[in-house]
PDB file of all heavy atoms in Angstrom:
ATOM      1  N   LEU A  43       4.886  -6.314   2.631  1.00  0.00           N
ATOM      2  CA  LEU A  43       3.814  -7.285   2.416  1.00  0.00           C
ATOM      3  C   LEU A  43       3.090  -6.990   1.064  1.00  0.00           C
ATOM      4  O   LEU A  43       2.479  -5.922   0.914  1.00  0.00           O
ATOM      5  CB  LEU A  43       2.824  -7.202   3.553  1.00  0.00           C
ATOM      6  CG  LEU A  43       1.531  -7.983   3.399  1.00  0.00           C
ATOM      7  CD1 LEU A  43       1.836  -9.492   3.424  1.00  0.00           C
ATOM      8  CD2 LEU A  43       0.506  -7.646   4.464  1.00  0.00           C
ATOM      9  N   ASP A  44       3.192  -7.869   0.161  1.00  0.00           N
ATOM     10  CA  ASP A  44       2.463  -7.778  -1.112  1.00  0.00           C
ATOM     11  C   ASP A  44       1.240  -8.648  -1.010  1.00  0.00           C
ATOM     12  O   ASP A  44       1.259  -9.816  -1.290  1.00  0.00           O
ATOM     13  CB  ASP A  44       3.373  -8.200  -2.268  1.00  0.00           C
ATOM     14  CG  ASP A  44       2.663  -8.168  -3.654  1.00  0.00           C
ATOM     15  OD1 ASP A  44       1.520  -7.653  -3.703  1.00  0.00           O
ATOM     16  OD2 ASP A  44       3.239  -8.587  -4.634  1.00  0.00           O
ATOM     17  N   PHE A  45       0.152  -8.077  -0.551  1.00  0.00           N
ATOM     18  CA  PHE A  45      -1.138  -8.736  -0.382  1.00  0.00           C
ATOM     19  C   PHE A  45      -1.778  -8.832  -1.788  1.00  0.00           C
ATOM     20  O   PHE A  45      -2.395  -7.916  -2.248  1.00  0.00           O
ATOM     21  CB  PHE A  45      -1.994  -7.978   0.589  1.00  0.00           C
ATOM     22  CG  PHE A  45      -3.374  -8.547   0.809  1.00  0.00           C
ATOM     23  CD1 PHE A  45      -3.704  -9.853   0.515  1.00  0.00           C
ATOM     24  CD2 PHE A  45      -4.430  -7.733   1.296  1.00  0.00           C
ATOM     25  CE1 PHE A  45      -4.986 -10.385   0.672  1.00  0.00           C
ATOM     26  CE2 PHE A  45      -5.662  -8.209   1.523  1.00  0.00           C
ATOM     27  CZ  PHE A  45      -5.975  -9.507   1.190  1.00  0.00           C
ATOM     28  N   GLY A  46      -1.538  -9.921  -2.469  1.00  0.00           N
ATOM     29  CA  GLY A  46      -2.018 -10.092  -3.809  1.00  0.00           C
ATOM     30  C   GLY A  46      -3.397 -10.755  -3.915  1.00  0.00           C
ATOM     31  O   GLY A  46      -3.842 -11.412  -2.978  1.00  0.00           O
ATOM     32  N   THR A  47      -4.061 -10.576  -5.039  1.00  0.00           N
ATOM     33  CA  THR A  47      -5.368 -11.115  -5.265  1.00  0.00           C
ATOM     34  C   THR A  47      -5.277 -12.680  -5.379  1.00  0.00           C
ATOM     35  O   THR A  47      -6.125 -13.372  -4.889  1.00  0.00           O
ATOM     36  CB  THR A  47      -5.984 -10.561  -6.532  1.00  0.00           C
ATOM     37  OG1 THR A  47      -6.044  -9.158  -6.394  1.00  0.00           O
ATOM     38  CG2 THR A  47      -7.388 -11.039  -6.723  1.00  0.00           C
ATOM     39  N   SER A  48      -4.203 -13.144  -6.017  1.00  0.00           N
ATOM     40  CA  SER A  48      -4.039 -14.619  -6.169  1.00  0.00           C
ATOM     41  C   SER A  48      -3.040 -15.198  -5.223  1.00  0.00           C
ATOM     42  O   SER A  48      -3.253 -16.285  -4.677  1.00  0.00           O
ATOM     43  CB  SER A  48      -3.620 -14.965  -7.625  1.00  0.00           C
ATOM     44  OG  SER A  48      -2.405 -14.286  -7.971  1.00  0.00           O
ATOM     45  N   THR A  49      -1.910 -14.494  -4.987  1.00  0.00           N
ATOM     46  CA  THR A  49      -0.924 -14.989  -4.036  1.00  0.00           C
ATOM     47  C   THR A  49      -0.371 -13.766  -3.257  1.00  0.00           C
ATOM     48  O   THR A  49      -0.418 -12.629  -3.740  1.00  0.00           O
ATOM     49  CB  THR A  49       0.246 -15.706  -4.726  1.00  0.00           C
ATOM     50  OG1 THR A  49       0.919 -14.821  -5.625  1.00  0.00           O
ATOM     51  CG2 THR A  49      -0.160 -16.922  -5.486  1.00  0.00           C
ATOM     52  N   THR A  50       0.110 -14.082  -2.079  1.00  0.00           N
ATOM     53  CA  THR A  50       0.714 -13.039  -1.212  1.00  0.00           C
ATOM     54  C   THR A  50       2.161 -13.345  -0.987  1.00  0.00           C
ATOM     55  O   THR A  50       2.561 -14.524  -0.799  1.00  0.00           O
ATOM     56  CB  THR A  50      -0.055 -12.947   0.128  1.00  0.00           C
ATOM     57  OG1 THR A  50      -1.428 -12.506  -0.165  1.00  0.00           O
ATOM     58  CG2 THR A  50       0.569 -12.031   1.112  1.00  0.00           C
ATOM     59  N   LYS A  51       2.983 -12.294  -1.021  1.00  0.00           N
ATOM     60  CA  LYS A  51       4.373 -12.444  -0.839  1.00  0.00           C
ATOM     61  C   LYS A  51       4.885 -11.524   0.287  1.00  0.00           C
ATOM     62  O   LYS A  51       4.340 -10.427   0.453  1.00  0.00           O
ATOM     63  CB  LYS A  51       5.167 -12.040  -2.144  1.00  0.00           C
ATOM     64  CG  LYS A  51       5.001 -12.972  -3.276  1.00  0.00           C
ATOM     65  CD  LYS A  51       3.640 -12.957  -4.002  1.00  0.00           C
ATOM     66  CE  LYS A  51       3.370 -11.649  -4.744  1.00  0.00           C
ATOM     67  NZ  LYS A  51       2.057 -11.691  -5.402  1.00  0.00           N
ATOM     68  N   PHE A  76       2.298 -17.470  -1.227  1.00  0.00           N
ATOM     69  CA  PHE A  76       1.322 -18.001  -0.366  1.00  0.00           C
ATOM     70  C   PHE A  76      -0.073 -17.729  -0.941  1.00  0.00           C
ATOM     71  O   PHE A  76      -0.462 -16.594  -1.077  1.00  0.00           O
ATOM     72  CB  PHE A  76       1.402 -17.357   1.023  1.00  0.00           C
ATOM     73  CG  PHE A  76       0.660 -18.062   2.130  1.00  0.00           C
ATOM     74  CD1 PHE A  76       1.038 -19.306   2.532  1.00  0.00           C
ATOM     75  CD2 PHE A  76      -0.438 -17.450   2.751  1.00  0.00           C
ATOM     76  CE1 PHE A  76       0.348 -19.947   3.553  1.00  0.00           C
ATOM     77  CE2 PHE A  76      -1.088 -18.068   3.768  1.00  0.00           C
ATOM     78  CZ  PHE A  76      -0.736 -19.336   4.174  1.00  0.00           C
ATOM     79  N   PRO A  77      -0.788 -18.801  -1.413  1.00  0.00           N
ATOM     80  CA  PRO A  77      -2.058 -18.528  -2.055  1.00  0.00           C
ATOM     81  C   PRO A  77      -3.013 -17.672  -1.272  1.00  0.00           C
ATOM     82  O   PRO A  77      -3.191 -17.918  -0.023  1.00  0.00           O
ATOM     83  CB  PRO A  77      -2.643 -19.967  -2.274  1.00  0.00           C
ATOM     84  CG  PRO A  77      -1.394 -20.812  -2.269  1.00  0.00           C
ATOM     85  CD  PRO A  77      -0.461 -20.200  -1.304  1.00  0.00           C
ATOM     86  N   SER A  78      -3.597 -16.722  -1.870  1.00  0.00           N
ATOM     87  CA  SER A  78      -4.614 -15.862  -1.213  1.00  0.00           C
ATOM     88  C   SER A  78      -5.949 -16.618  -1.254  1.00  0.00           C
ATOM     89  O   SER A  78      -6.884 -16.235  -1.992  1.00  0.00           O
ATOM     90  CB  SER A  78      -4.714 -14.483  -1.885  1.00  0.00           C
ATOM     91  OG  SER A  78      -3.483 -13.820  -1.837  1.00  0.00           O
ATOM     92  N   THR A  79      -6.009 -17.682  -0.518  1.00  0.00           N
ATOM     93  CA  THR A  79      -7.119 -18.629  -0.505  1.00  0.00           C
ATOM     94  C   THR A  79      -7.509 -18.979   0.897  1.00  0.00           C
ATOM     95  O   THR A  79      -6.619 -19.153   1.772  1.00  0.00           O
ATOM     96  CB  THR A  79      -6.738 -19.907  -1.269  1.00  0.00           C
ATOM     97  OG1 THR A  79      -6.256 -19.566  -2.544  1.00  0.00           O
ATOM     98  CG2 THR A  79      -7.931 -20.852  -1.405  1.00  0.00           C
ATOM     99  N   SER A 104      -9.753 -14.603  -4.310  1.00  0.00           N
ATOM    100  CA  SER A 104      -9.866 -13.220  -4.749  1.00  0.00           C
ATOM    101  C   SER A 104     -10.715 -12.375  -3.826  1.00  0.00           C
ATOM    102  O   SER A 104     -11.378 -11.408  -4.196  1.00  0.00           O
ATOM    103  CB  SER A 104     -10.506 -13.181  -6.177  1.00  0.00           C
ATOM    104  OG  SER A 104      -9.668 -13.878  -7.097  1.00  0.00           O
ATOM    105  N   PHE A 105     -10.705 -12.739  -2.499  1.00  0.00           N
ATOM    106  CA  PHE A 105     -11.475 -11.980  -1.516  1.00  0.00           C
ATOM    107  C   PHE A 105     -10.904 -10.585  -1.359  1.00  0.00           C
ATOM    108  O   PHE A 105     -11.641  -9.678  -0.885  1.00  0.00           O
ATOM    109  CB  PHE A 105     -11.546 -12.740  -0.209  1.00  0.00           C
ATOM    110  CG  PHE A 105     -10.252 -13.122   0.352  1.00  0.00           C
ATOM    111  CD1 PHE A 105      -9.511 -12.303   1.199  1.00  0.00           C
ATOM    112  CD2 PHE A 105      -9.732 -14.389   0.100  1.00  0.00           C
ATOM    113  CE1 PHE A 105      -8.299 -12.678   1.696  1.00  0.00           C
ATOM    114  CE2 PHE A 105      -8.490 -14.783   0.589  1.00  0.00           C
ATOM    115  CZ  PHE A 105      -7.752 -13.931   1.433  1.00  0.00           C
ATOM    116  N   LYS A 106      -9.665 -10.390  -1.692  1.00  0.00           N
ATOM    117  CA  LYS A 106      -9.079  -9.038  -1.568  1.00  0.00           C
ATOM    118  C   LYS A 106      -9.886  -8.025  -2.420  1.00  0.00           C
ATOM    119  O   LYS A 106     -10.173  -6.917  -1.995  1.00  0.00           O
ATOM    120  CB  LYS A 106      -7.620  -9.025  -2.060  1.00  0.00           C
ATOM    121  CG  LYS A 106      -7.034  -7.660  -2.260  1.00  0.00           C
ATOM    122  CD  LYS A 106      -5.692  -7.733  -2.961  1.00  0.00           C
ATOM    123  CE  LYS A 106      -5.227  -6.358  -3.395  1.00  0.00           C
ATOM    124  NZ  LYS A 106      -3.917  -6.400  -4.120  1.00  0.00           N
ATOM    125  N   MET A 107     -10.227  -8.474  -3.664  1.00  0.00           N
ATOM    126  CA  MET A 107     -10.957  -7.534  -4.536  1.00  0.00           C
ATOM    127  C   MET A 107     -12.362  -7.289  -4.048  1.00  0.00           C
ATOM    128  O   MET A 107     -12.947  -6.288  -4.412  1.00  0.00           O
ATOM    129  CB  MET A 107     -10.939  -8.059  -5.959  1.00  0.00           C
ATOM    130  CG  MET A 107      -9.566  -8.197  -6.568  1.00  0.00           C
ATOM    131  SD  MET A 107      -8.557  -6.665  -6.403  1.00  0.00           S
ATOM    132  CE  MET A 107      -9.552  -5.455  -7.261  1.00  0.00           C
ATOM    133  N   TYR A 154      -6.751 -13.572   7.337  1.00  0.00           N
ATOM    134  CA  TYR A 154      -5.717 -14.126   6.402  1.00  0.00           C
ATOM    135  C   TYR A 154      -4.384 -13.411   6.642  1.00  0.00           C
ATOM    136  O   TYR A 154      -3.333 -14.069   6.749  1.00  0.00           O
ATOM    137  CB  TYR A 154      -6.197 -13.892   4.953  1.00  0.00           C
ATOM    138  CG  TYR A 154      -5.181 -14.261   3.903  1.00  0.00           C
ATOM    139  CD1 TYR A 154      -4.948 -15.577   3.537  1.00  0.00           C
ATOM    140  CD2 TYR A 154      -4.370 -13.226   3.348  1.00  0.00           C
ATOM    141  CE1 TYR A 154      -3.996 -15.901   2.591  1.00  0.00           C
ATOM    142  CE2 TYR A 154      -3.436 -13.578   2.375  1.00  0.00           C
ATOM    143  CZ  TYR A 154      -3.235 -14.915   2.012  1.00  0.00           C
ATOM    144  OH  TYR A 154      -2.257 -15.179   1.056  1.00  0.00           O
ATOM    145  N   LEU A 155      -4.419 -12.091   6.732  1.00  0.00           N
ATOM    146  CA  LEU A 155      -3.109 -11.363   6.887  1.00  0.00           C
ATOM    147  C   LEU A 155      -2.526 -11.651   8.288  1.00  0.00           C
ATOM    148  O   LEU A 155      -1.313 -11.616   8.444  1.00  0.00           O
ATOM    149  CB  LEU A 155      -3.342  -9.885   6.737  1.00  0.00           C
ATOM    150  CG  LEU A 155      -3.653  -9.413   5.299  1.00  0.00           C
ATOM    151  CD1 LEU A 155      -3.824  -7.892   5.278  1.00  0.00           C
ATOM    152  CD2 LEU A 155      -2.618  -9.886   4.332  1.00  0.00           C
ATOM    153  N   SER A 183       2.577  -2.156   3.288  1.00  0.00           N
ATOM    154  CA  SER A 183       1.783  -2.912   2.294  1.00  0.00           C
ATOM    155  C   SER A 183       1.258  -1.959   1.232  1.00  0.00           C
ATOM    156  O   SER A 183       1.492  -0.748   1.332  1.00  0.00           O
ATOM    157  CB  SER A 183       0.663  -3.648   2.947  1.00  0.00           C
ATOM    158  OG  SER A 183       0.061  -4.582   2.079  1.00  0.00           O
ATOM    159  N   ALA A 184       0.653  -2.545   0.259  1.00  0.00           N
ATOM    160  CA  ALA A 184       0.146  -1.696  -0.875  1.00  0.00           C
ATOM    161  C   ALA A 184      -1.296  -2.092  -1.220  1.00  0.00           C
ATOM    162  O   ALA A 184      -1.717  -3.244  -0.911  1.00  0.00           O
ATOM    163  CB  ALA A 184       1.030  -1.878  -2.108  1.00  0.00           C
ATOM    164  N   GLU A 248      -0.381   0.892  -4.900  1.00  0.00           N
ATOM    165  CA  GLU A 248       0.408  -0.149  -5.571  1.00  0.00           C
ATOM    166  C   GLU A 248       1.292   0.425  -6.677  1.00  0.00           C
ATOM    167  O   GLU A 248       2.382  -0.089  -6.911  1.00  0.00           O
ATOM    168  CB  GLU A 248      -0.551  -1.226  -6.107  1.00  0.00           C
ATOM    169  CG  GLU A 248      -1.075  -2.121  -5.048  1.00  0.00           C
ATOM    170  CD  GLU A 248      -2.037  -3.190  -5.550  1.00  0.00           C
ATOM    171  OE1 GLU A 248      -2.393  -3.131  -6.723  1.00  0.00           O
ATOM    172  OE2 GLU A 248      -2.322  -4.104  -4.835  1.00  0.00           O
ATOM    173  N   ALA A 274      -3.670  -9.998 -10.541  1.00  0.00           N
ATOM    174  CA  ALA A 274      -4.864 -10.803 -10.739  1.00  0.00           C
ATOM    175  C   ALA A 274      -6.111  -9.941 -10.728  1.00  0.00           C
ATOM    176  O   ALA A 274      -7.006 -10.123 -11.599  1.00  0.00           O
ATOM    177  CB  ALA A 274      -4.988 -11.863  -9.651  1.00  0.00           C
ATOM    178  N   GLY A 275      -6.186  -8.969  -9.827  1.00  0.00           N
ATOM    179  CA  GLY A 275      -7.386  -8.165  -9.702  1.00  0.00           C
ATOM    180  C   GLY A 275      -7.300  -6.796 -10.371  1.00  0.00           C
ATOM    181  O   GLY A 275      -8.280  -6.271 -10.879  1.00  0.00           O
ATOM    182  N   LEU A 446       7.429  -6.287  -5.857  1.00  0.00           N
ATOM    183  CA  LEU A 446       6.616  -5.380  -5.059  1.00  0.00           C
ATOM    184  C   LEU A 446       6.944  -5.599  -3.574  1.00  0.00           C
ATOM    185  O   LEU A 446       7.125  -4.576  -2.832  1.00  0.00           O
ATOM    186  CB  LEU A 446       5.115  -5.605  -5.317  1.00  0.00           C
ATOM    187  CG  LEU A 446       4.205  -4.493  -4.861  1.00  0.00           C
ATOM    188  CD1 LEU A 446       4.435  -3.242  -5.649  1.00  0.00           C
ATOM    189  CD2 LEU A 446       2.715  -4.927  -4.963  1.00  0.00           C
TER     190      LEU A 446
END
Side-chain angles (χ1 to χ4, degrees):
L43 172 68
D44 179 5
F45 177 21
T47 305
S48 59
T49 60
T50 294
K51 290 73 69 178
F76 194 66
S78 300
T79 306
S104 300
F105 53 88
K106 168 191 170 182
M107 297 311 299
Y154 172 81
L155 291 182
S183 190
E248 286 181 347
L446 197 66

